[in-house]
Amino acid sequence: MMNVSLILGWLFLVIGIACWVFVFKCLYLLFRTRIIVDLPLSQQIKEFSIQEKGGFSIWQVGPLLKQAPMLFSQPQLTDLTRQQVVKLSPSIGRATKNSFSQSAMLVFYCELDVGKYCLEVFAGSSLHTIEERISKAILTTIPIGRASNQQYRFQLRESLTKKQRLLMPIFVFIGLFFFLQGLFTILNLLFDIPMETMLL
């Protein structure tokens, strides 16, 4: 009976670690994948091709501590193969990544099929109403220099599919549950430590 419980403990531990491996892989895809299109505001429109169906994201990129040349700007993706505008899903968490000189913010997700596309940038806001009001208040209160059109850009990157985005937070909690369950089971059986003591 002890052997069966020990095997289950190790199995739970492995399942928990496997869930976290999936989560870390998703985080890598979110932040470290290759750029498909790099569109500076000085250009405002660029056509490109997608060779493999998948999930993609649109990022705003500009110099650190500088505001955009346009107060607000709105990207638009058009599927030239099917002659229709691609639906963009707003990024709720607004993931950001900064270097010593640049700041990047994730603004939209989308899923694209194989085909030809066009990325355009228009005047307009991609922020929610509350975010837009806060941004305007900050910009009017704190004097921040403007970036040039060449410095400020929108980037289309490889990213997560909708399914991966939905599974990632679920796998965080499933991984935690199985990892702790497996760890407590193994410690309890090998060292005869009551679970109540480990929880304390």
Side-chain angles (χ1 to χ4, degrees):
M1 182 66 183
M2 179 180 173
N3 289 337
V4 174
S5 298
L6 191 61
I7 291 170
L8 282 175
W10 281 109
L11 181 62
F12 289 159
L13 204 65
V14 170
I15 292 172
I17 293 171
C19 288
W20 285 344
V21 167
F22 172 82
V23 172
F24 284 118
K25 181 182 177 183
C26 287
L27 289 173
Y28 177 84
L29 287 172
L30 186 62
F31 288 101
R32 302 294 296 176
T33 50
R34 69 188 180 97
I35 299 170
I36 306 299
V37 178
D38 187 21
L39 179 64
L41 282 187
S42 57
Q43 188 173 346
Q44 291 194 325
I45 183 169
K46 183 178 283 189
E47 294 185 6
F48 62 97
S49 297
I50 294 295
Q51 306 298 330
E52 186 175 347
K53 179 180 178 180
F56 298 86
S57 57
I58 297 177
W59 293 74
Q60 284 182 188
V61 183
L64 198 62
L65 302 178
K66 283 194 176 182
Q67 59 175 298
M70 301 163 65
L71 182 58
F72 294 109
S73 48
Q74 173 79 32
Q76 178 178 290
L77 264 177
T78 305
D79 185 338
L80 299 178
T81 305
R82 298 160 188 83
Q83 293 298 312
Q84 60 186 19
V85 175
V86 176
K87 182 181 179 182
L88 302 177
S89 303
S91 167
I92 298 172
R94 298 284 178 184
T96 59
K97 57 179 182 177
N98 299 326
S99 64
F100 291 108
S101 60
Q102 281 200 325
S103 175
M105 180 174 69
L106 195 160
V107 286
F108 290 109
Y109 290 106
C110 60
E111 296 192 20
L112 304 178
D113 292 316
V114 175
K116 291 191 68 176
Y117 294 85
C118 177
L119 177 61
E120 296 178 80
V121 180
F122 299 97
S125 177
S126 59
L127 301 175
H128 299 298
T129 306
I130 295 175
E131 291 177 316
E132 187 176 331
R133 288 177 181 173
I134 293 172
S135 298
K136 284 181 178 178
I138 292 172
L139 293 174
T140 53
T141 306
I142 303 173
I144 303 174
R146 287 185 183 272
S148 68
N149 284 347
Q150 189 60 40
Q151 290 176 307
Y152 198 83
R153 61 219 314 111
F154 280 89
Q155 292 179 342
L156 179 75
R157 294 173 172 266
E158 291 178 341
S159 189
L160 306 175
T161 63
K162 185 177 181 180
K163 182 179 178 180
Q164 288 172 318
R165 298 199 307 271
L166 291 173
L167 288 177
M168 188 167 61
I170 296 172
F171 272 51
V172 169
F173 294 106
I174 292 177
L176 181 64
F177 171 79
F178 277 105
F179 182 84
L180 292 178
Q181 187 71 30
L183 183 64
F184 291 161
T185 301
I186 292 168
L187 292 176
N188 187 28
L189 291 173
L190 293 181
F191 303 105
D192 198 26
I193 303 174
M195 188 172 290
E196 293 81 5
T197 303
M198 291 184 280
L199 290 172
L200 292 173

